[in-house]
Amino acid sequence: MKKRIPKATVGRLPLYLRCLTDLPPTQTTVSSEQLADMARVNAAKVRKDLSYMGSYGTRGVGYEAEHLRFQISRELGLTRDWRVAIVGVGNLGSALAGYAGFGERGFEIVGLFDAAPDRIGQQVNGLVIESVAGLEEAVAEREVAIGIVTAPAAFAQQAADGLVAGGVRSILNFAPTVLRVPPEVEVRRVDLSMELQILSYYLKSEF
Amino acid sequence: MKKRIPKATVGRLPLYLRCLTDLPPTQTTVSSEQLADMARVNAAKVRKDLSYMGSYGTRGVGYEAEHLRFQISRELGLTRDWRVAIVGVGNLGSALAGYAGFGERGFEIVGLFDAAPDRIGQQVNGLVIESVAGLEEAVAEREVAIGIVTAPAAFAQQAADGLVAGGVRSILNFAPTVLRVPPEVEVRRVDLSMELQILSYYLKSEF
DNA sequence: GTGTGTGAAACTTTTCACAGCA
DNA sequence: TGCTGTGAAAAGTTTCACACAC
């Protein structure tokens, strides 16, 4: 067991968790090889990744599926719920607000914020859209841990500033812009155009 | 100038492209330091990344912005248009279909496919939703290069199979599942729950 | 002087290969 | 025998530091 889990490994733990969930309920143990095949990675990588959390496998047998599921969940901090706010309730923001997968996995949406006056007061998925004017206070009051930015690029930085001022330490940014945040805030970017441009590179090399 | 561009660099080229686009129109040259600040990365990294494409900077001056923009676009294969099909037109698929950023950047949506009979024939963003039954032929006929999978997890593999059979070499997968595709097909995964779980890990470590 | 281009060093991540335990 | 756990090697990536071109 090592001091700290490498970033690359943290990025794969949710993947293993998903694979474990997809296992037939009758199967109680799983080998690194099977997990590797499901996750489409190398078996040695699976073993090394899992070993960072401690040694939960049995030599000659494999890993006890239910136990491993729990260990990964605990390591990822999924044994508690986290509150989430979405800033920017356009097409994408609405789609995310309606995504059932969040609630199931312990991410509770407790606020939808938008800047457009005609959007405010509308209801999406049981939540009333609020004005971004009250973002900071609402985030602080409701103890929001994660902010999702689906605002237009021009407004994304203000959205992030409001979230950070309210105490948010983690941001998932869908806006096509690079956010400036203090070093203690973790930002993950999901950028559609960038993904397509990367795919374009690999297409191009074929011709 | 090196033989081949490293994956990590390919992943950042679209980022630099975005930063160049955000530059004030009056500014004709840009230094690695300024680009690094905008992209929130290290300046040496910017220089090394750009050097893989050849040497387009001027010592003591920096990079000619317009020229660099063109070089990166060419390297990424963005000097031509790519046709895109979306499979699964639920909330997320619809949101993506309506995203203007695609067309602006040379990605033309030429097909929307869904399995639900009541969705077929409906119009989204000027395109009629078609049945997945005709996916393979339509993809082949229209020379679709990139497939976007926004189908539910249970149907995502079939969607990918149809796309690949029709000749698609690049897939952007939003479904929470690991796709099995031939090695020549490039898949990029965008997984909401996984991103939140990773953020959860970094939140957890704070307490 | 200024800021690129790049070898070399440092660090991270992946893969190998095998000892060791059930 | 079968499969984990892990040192060590290999590969990939980042950062440093400075020669050199403008």
Side-chain angles (χ1 to χ4, degrees):
Chain A
M1 182 157 178
K2 298 287 152 48
K3 305 263 104 138
R4 233 190 134 237
I5 302 185
K7 274 193 158 193
T9 295
V10 173
R12 280 186 299 266
L13 290 180
L15 179 59
Y16 301 144
L17 198 52
R18 154 107 19 91
C19 294
L20 287 168
T21 309
D22 291 348
L23 233 42
T26 49
Q27 191 177 344
T28 56
T29 77
V30 62
S31 69
S32 62
E33 189 141 10
Q34 189 187 353
L35 219 43
D37 180 63
M38 293 177 84
R40 314 261 82 189
V41 300
N42 176 302
K45 195 186 268 177
V46 172
R47 291 200 298 279
K48 188 142 270 199
D49 283 343
L50 297 182
S51 80
Y52 288 119
M53 301 190 304
S55 301
Y56 297 126
T58 310
R59 290 167 200 229
V61 179
Y63 301 87
E64 210 270 284
E66 188 48 43
H67 186 222
L68 188 54
R69 210 161 7 222
F70 172 72
Q71 294 302 341
I72 297 179
S73 292
R74 198 190 48 173
E75 196 61 51
L76 288 172
L78 302 175
T79 45
R80 53 160 286 182
D81 282 10
W82 298 104
R83 292 169 172 210
V84 177
I86 298 180
V87 190
V89 196
N91 286 335
L92 184 58
S94 301
L96 297 189
Y99 178 46
F102 287 164
E104 284 164 24
R105 282 165 238 261
F107 298 99
E108 190 197 355
I109 301 176
V110 297
L112 302 179
F113 300 85
D114 205 294
D118 57 307
R119 295 288 281 151
I120 296 163
Q122 284 181 19
Q123 215 167 304
V124 174
N125 206 46
L127 280 167
V128 176
I129 300 178
E130 301 165 64
S131 165
V132 282
L135 180 61
E136 180 182 336
E137 293 95 286
V139 162
E141 210 166 79
R142 295 173 212 170
E143 297 184 295
V144 171
I146 302 177
I148 299 183
V149 176
T150 37
F155 182 66
Q157 185 59 55
Q158 287 173 66
D161 292 345
L163 287 165
V164 171
V168 158
R169 291 283 95 97
S170 286
I171 292 177
L172 187 52
N173 179 30
F174 287 83
T177 189
V178 181
L179 296 179
R180 289 174 179 259
V181 297
E184 71 273 17
V185 177
E186 180 81 17
V187 177
R188 293 190 63 90
R189 183 176 41 215
V190 177
D191 191 316
L192 288 284
S193 312
M194 278 186 53
E195 294 297 333
L196 288 179
Q197 290 176 357
I198 294 167
L199 287 173
S200 167
Y201 174 83
Y202 292 107
L203 281 172
K204 188 214 69 171
S205 345
E206 284 181 21
F207 302 108
Chain B
M1 181 158 179
K2 299 286 153 49
K3 305 262 104 139
R4 231 188 134 242
I5 302 185
K7 276 195 155 188
T9 295
V10 172
R12 280 186 300 264
L13 289 179
L15 179 58
Y16 301 145
L17 198 52
R18 153 107 18 93
C19 294
L20 287 167
T21 309
D22 290 347
L23 234 41
T26 49
Q27 192 178 344
T28 56
T29 76
V30 62
S31 69
S32 61
E33 190 142 8
Q34 190 186 353
L35 220 42
D37 180 63
M38 293 177 83
R40 313 262 82 188
V41 298
N42 175 302
K45 195 187 268 177
V46 171
R47 293 201 296 279
K48 187 141 270 199
D49 283 343
L50 297 182
S51 79
Y52 288 120
M53 302 190 303
S55 299
Y56 297 125
T58 309
R59 287 168 201 231
V61 179
Y63 301 87
E64 209 270 284
E66 188 48 43
H67 186 223
L68 188 55
R69 205 155 17 214
F70 172 73
Q71 296 301 342
I72 297 178
S73 292
R74 198 189 47 171
E75 196 61 51
L76 289 172
L78 302 176
T79 47
R80 54 160 288 183
D81 281 10
W82 298 105
R83 291 169 172 210
V84 178
I86 297 180
V87 191
V89 196
N91 286 335
L92 184 58
S94 301
L96 297 190
Y99 178 46
F102 288 164
E104 283 164 21
R105 282 164 238 258
F107 297 98
E108 190 195 356
I109 299 175
V110 297
L112 302 179
F113 300 85
D114 205 295
D118 56 306
R119 294 289 282 153
I120 296 163
Q122 283 181 18
Q123 214 167 304
V124 175
N125 206 46
L127 280 166
V128 175
I129 300 178
E130 301 166 64
S131 166
V132 282
L135 179 61
E136 180 182 335
E137 294 96 284
V139 161
E141 211 167 73
R142 295 174 211 169
E143 296 183 296
V144 171
I146 301 176
I148 299 183
V149 176
T150 36
F155 182 65
Q157 185 59 55
Q158 288 173 67
D161 292 345
L163 288 165
V164 170
V168 158
R169 292 283 95 96
S170 286
I171 293 177
L172 188 51
N173 179 30
F174 286 83
T177 188
V178 181
L179 297 178
R180 290 175 178 257
V181 297
E184 71 273 18
V185 177
E186 180 82 17
V187 177
R188 292 189 65 87
R189 183 177 40 215
V190 177
D191 191 316
L192 288 283
S193 312
M194 277 185 53
E195 295 297 333
L196 288 180
Q197 290 176 356
I198 294 167
L199 287 173
S200 166
Y201 173 83
Y202 291 108
L203 281 172
K204 187 214 69 169
S205 341
E206 284 180 21
F207 302 108

